[in-house]
Amino acid sequence: MKGNFNIERAEKFAHRVRWHIVETVIRHGEGHAGPSLSCTDILATLYNGVMKYDPQNPKWEDRDRLLVSGGHKCLGLYGTLVEAGFFDESVLNEYNKLNSRVPAHPDMKKLPGIDFSTGSLGHGLPLACGMALAAKKNKKDYRVFVIMGDGEQGEGSVWESASYAAAKGLDNIVGILDRNGLQINGTNAEVCNTAPLEERYKAFGWDVVIVDGHDVGEIQNALQSAPVNKGKPTMVICNTIKSKGMPFAEGSVKYHHWHPGKEEANMAVQALRDYQKERWGE
Amino acid sequence: MSITDPREAFAKALEEIGDNNDKVLAVSCDSASGSGYSPFISKYPDRYVEVGISEQTGVDISVGLAVNGFIPVISAIAPFLSMRAYEQVRNDVGYSNTNVKLIGSSSGLSHSPAGSSHQANEDMALMRTVPNMVVINPGDCYEIAMSLKKAVEYEGPVYIRMPRHPLEDILPIEERDFEIGKAEEICDGKSGITVIASGTVSNEAKRAVEELNKEGISCGMINVHTVQPLDQEMILKHASKTKLMFTVEEHSIIGGLGDAVAATITQLEGAPRLVKLGILPGAVNTGPYRELLAAYGLTHEKIKESIKKEM
């Protein structure tokens, strides 16, 4: 599936994913809301006209691959896969229960549509290198998308594989940096500054494009145009806001892992309703 | 005449496997020539993946290739592959059950003078705890070639320890049949003693057993190339008629063959006493290979001494 891109459709898709994230965390009592809401618009864009995929044939050889390297963003991924038709939303009721198909980090053996299990940071880009190399060797034209966080850039394996991807000219890798500036213990700048990421990736031999990570049109343009140059991998840096969609939590480090009380839960639901009404009058 | 250089045996086997299966790729972490990849690379340059000094990335690149139909054989010096990249191995190879073949080259004390950083005395212990992982510890050039061949035929994760120093065949090739998970009975004993040996020191153990037999101490012996899954049937068969068992390995006495055998024989009521011969945890000595083996009690003379002492 790779239809024409439609901004309103992608935005509505993203909004429905936000509902899944917020409702699942409220129902369960806790979850990684902040980082999932941060990358929701990116995921919605990928599954609305950018990526080639077929929910009826999730192992389709020619599909584009996606690695959500920060597996803790999985509520965003689960909600996206529900909306893209890979499985029913009732599966989300199992979130973090015994033998759940939707644990707090995604497991490829438990659900269709997950190209590889993730959880430990710094595995996504090297895995993407292997998948991209396989495409070149098999003469396939699929692309490999990998979503990473800016905090994750502290892992050395990210930079090992960033070197590799550029050295081997893996222009079928599209890196996506969900740059919300926050990690568990504070701002990225305070904890162990990984900036300047644009300059670092350029120095490593990548093309870098910077977009507003909540503007689906901008994201779509950047992802669709990758690779910027033949023979070079592209990094799309998406400037995002952690917990986007829950105004009381936006940009606050406290909501990386959200434990919603009743008041906050009501606020989050109201915020989504208000946004929906304001944007689409629904 | 049989080959005695492990690297040569590995190189020849990989080339033959490559001739018969175009999905096999050689993945190197700046270790191509040291790993014995050179003939394969010369013949199949487009099936050579050089990752550089990045074992973590090397393992995950192999995984990315494996899930798209390739059979990557990744080789790097054993401690770097098994320890630095352990989490990638556990998550992305083991838990995910991907078809990656890991070759820990210059395993054990192979790099004996190079210091503890380059010795791999805990790699089997680590790999045994990885879900789905087959762990093979070849002890001669036949076992090296066969372990690689069988690993490529087998669908799933395999770790092979690759020795570096010259090795004699443990048994004549015509007497052998290599299957993953099957141990070989070298001899049966009458004195209630069984020696179970694996890898590079199997020949040392065998010589010790032969000398003891000549002295009238009749020992049984089992050669174990696959440490996981262990041939429990063979171990239990001997344990049931043995009072004293020895395990011999060029590895820490924690977590390797010795502990695998210990865990097996505890199933038996009246299990034999087990003495684990190997490297004591924390031993970080260096020196010429055979001298260091002797210092750790792993040459045939020392093994024989240990057996007599424990009788």
Side-chain angles (χ1 to χ4, degrees):
Chain A
M1 190 183 291
K2 190 182 170 187
N4 291 328
F5 184 71
N6 174 294
I7 287 183
E8 186 171 329
R9 194 181 63 204
E11 286 179 339
K12 284 184 167 173
F13 184 108
H15 192 69
R16 290 195 300 276
V17 173
R18 288 202 159 85
W19 270 114
H20 290 309
I21 296 168
V22 168
E23 286 181 331
T24 305
V25 174
I26 291 172
R27 191 166 54 236
H28 182 66
E30 60 173 317
H32 284 107
S36 298
L37 291 165
S38 172
C39 68
T40 301
D41 296 304
I42 298 166
L43 286 162
T45 308
L46 281 166
Y47 282 81
N48 274 278
V50 174
M51 278 175 58
K52 291 182 291 180
Y53 66 94
D54 178 1
Q56 303 308 313
N57 185 11
K59 298 272 180 194
W60 177 35
E61 272 191 30
D62 294 325
R63 75 192 186 281
D64 290 323
R65 272 62 165 172
L66 172 67
L67 291 147
V68 180
S69 188
H72 59 287
K73 297 173 193 282
C74 65
L75 280 170
L77 176 64
Y78 296 149
T80 298
L81 294 175
V82 166
E83 290 303 321
F86 283 88
F87 48 85
D88 189 78
E89 70 173 295
S90 61
V91 174
L92 301 178
N93 292 328
E94 299 174 13
Y95 181 66
N96 269 358
K97 290 186 176 164
L98 182 66
N99 294 325
S100 168
R101 286 172 288 175
V102 282
H105 294 91
D107 186 334
M108 64 176 175
K109 287 189 262 179
K110 296 191 169 166
L111 282 173
I114 297 169
D115 284 315
F116 209 83
S117 308
T118 50
S120 175
L121 300 178
H123 290 218
L125 193 54
L127 287 164
C129 286
M131 292 181 179
L133 184 62
K136 298 272 184 197
K137 289 193 175 296
N138 284 328
K139 304 199 178 349
K140 297 272 186 191
D141 67 357
Y142 65 76
R143 293 191 290 172
V144 184
F145 297 88
V146 53
I147 301 176
M148 295 184 283
D150 48 353
E152 181 179 4
Q153 304 304 302
E155 293 285 4
S157 52
V158 169
W159 299 101
E160 284 183 9
S161 47
S163 290
Y164 181 85
K168 308 294 173 175
L170 297 178
D171 55 7
N172 48 353
I173 292 183
V174 185
I176 302 171
L177 239 164
D178 175 5
R179 183 165 71 179
N180 59 38
L182 299 176
Q183 50 195 102
I184 294 175
N185 271 355
T187 66
N188 183 252
E190 285 164 353
V191 176
C192 185
N193 199 6
T194 56
L197 289 168
E198 180 186 359
E199 287 82 353
R200 286 178 82 180
Y201 273 100
K202 279 185 176 165
F204 272 69
W206 289 56
D207 283 317
V208 178
V209 182
I210 301 178
V211 299
D212 175 344
H214 299 301
D215 182 325
V216 296
E218 271 194 37
I219 303 168
Q220 192 266 348
N221 268 336
L223 297 178
Q224 215 48 316
S225 311
V228 174
N229 284 294
K230 203 169 159 40
K232 284 176 83 174
T234 299
M235 181 58 67
V236 178
I237 298 182
C238 298
N239 290 323
T240 55
I241 296 166
K242 204 155 178 170
S243 303
K244 175 75 176 173
M246 299 198 300
F248 61 93
E250 283 181 1
S252 163
V253 77
K254 267 171 41 192
Y255 296 89
H256 177 82
H257 196 251
W258 183 35
H259 296 258
K262 197 163 183 185
E263 193 185 340
E264 278 187 355
N266 289 338
M267 282 161 68
V269 167
Q270 196 55 49
L272 288 175
R273 280 194 191 129
D274 291 348
Y275 183 82
Q276 200 168 315
K277 198 162 181 191
E278 190 186 312
R279 282 300 305 274
W280 300 296
E282 293 166 9
Chain B
M1 196 175 142
S2 60
I3 305 166
T4 60
D5 177 4
R7 213 170 347 186
E8 203 181 316
F10 178 86
K12 187 163 177 281
L14 184 65
E15 191 184 343
E16 280 172 16
I17 291 162
D19 290 342
N20 296 315
N21 191 333
D22 64 6
K23 291 293 177 193
V24 173
L25 304 177
V27 183
S28 152
C29 300
D30 197 30
S31 52
S33 58
S35 297
Y37 277 173
S38 301
F40 180 91
I41 292 169
S42 307
K43 204 163 175 180
Y44 302 111
D46 59 339
R47 285 156 62 188
Y48 163 45
V49 178
E50 180 56 73
V51 179
I53 306 169
S54 325
E55 291 79 12
Q56 298 171 66
T57 288
V59 169
D60 272 345
I61 283 177
S62 301
V63 171
L65 289 162
V67 293
N68 286 286
F70 290 100
I71 307 174
V73 177
I74 173 171
S75 179
I77 299 180
F80 312 148
L81 185 65
S82 65
M83 297 169 202
R84 191 184 200 101
Y86 183 72
E87 195 201 37
Q88 281 78 8
V89 170
R90 184 195 75 137
N91 292 6
D92 306 330
V93 181
Y95 280 139
S96 301
N97 203 10
T98 50
N99 197 21
V100 175
K101 314 305 165 187
L102 302 152
I103 314 294
S105 71
S106 299
S107 60
L109 301 172
S110 293
H111 281 310
S112 57
S116 55
S117 63
H118 281 58
Q119 296 172 8
N121 303 330
E122 307 86 3
D123 56 337
M124 286 202 288
L126 289 164
M127 290 298 141
R128 279 184 63 227
T129 67
V130 174
N132 300 309
M133 185 68 73
V134 168
V135 180
I136 308 181
N137 184 29
D140 64 13
C141 291
Y142 168 80
E143 289 186 353
I144 287 168
M146 291 306 289
S147 59
L148 189 60
K149 183 165 177 263
K150 295 288 181 178
V152 168
E153 285 172 8
Y154 173 83
E155 175 86 23
V158 181
Y159 177 78
I160 305 175
R161 285 187 113 199
M162 200 53 60
R164 186 181 183 88
H165 294 279
L167 292 162
E168 286 173 30
D169 285 346
I170 295 163
L171 288 169
I173 286 171
E174 56 276 13
E175 290 176 24
R176 307 190 75 177
D177 182 19
F178 187 106
E179 287 302 328
I180 288 176
K182 289 284 173 201
E184 289 173 306
E185 186 175 73
I186 304 281
C187 57
D188 214 353
K190 294 190 184 71
S191 306
I193 298 169
T194 303
V195 178
I196 305 170
S198 181
T200 44
V201 287
S202 261
N203 255 318
E204 300 291 335
K206 185 170 168 242
R207 196 162 155 196
V209 165
E210 284 165 355
E211 288 177 12
L212 287 166
N213 283 348
K214 277 185 202 154
E215 293 174 24
I217 303 165
S218 167
C219 302
M221 182 177 164
I222 304 167
N223 173 49
V224 175
H225 47 67
T226 311
V227 173
Q228 181 165 285
L230 189 67
D231 188 346
Q232 297 203 10
E233 196 182 328
M234 174 77 83
I235 306 289
L236 289 172
K237 183 184 129 187
H238 280 258
S240 63
K241 55 185 179 182
T242 295
K243 288 197 179 76
L244 182 57
M245 269 191 154
F246 293 85
T247 51
V248 188
E249 59 193 314
E250 188 180 315
H251 186 273
S252 166
I253 57 164
I254 292 182
L257 173 75
D259 279 354
V261 169
T264 301
I265 63 174
T266 50
Q267 296 171 44
L268 279 181
E269 223 176 284
R273 186 160 74 87
L274 176 69
V275 179
K276 297 185 286 185
L277 304 181
I279 300 165
L280 294 176
V284 288
N285 298 329
T286 62
Y289 179 65
R290 282 209 63 84
E291 289 177 40
L292 194 54
L293 267 190
Y296 288 147
L298 293 169
T299 52
H300 63 93
E301 301 96 331
K302 299 283 184 180
I303 295 167
K304 189 174 140 189
E305 266 176 47
S306 294
I307 293 173
K308 284 179 129 173
K309 193 175 133 206
E310 296 290 342
M311 280 170 60

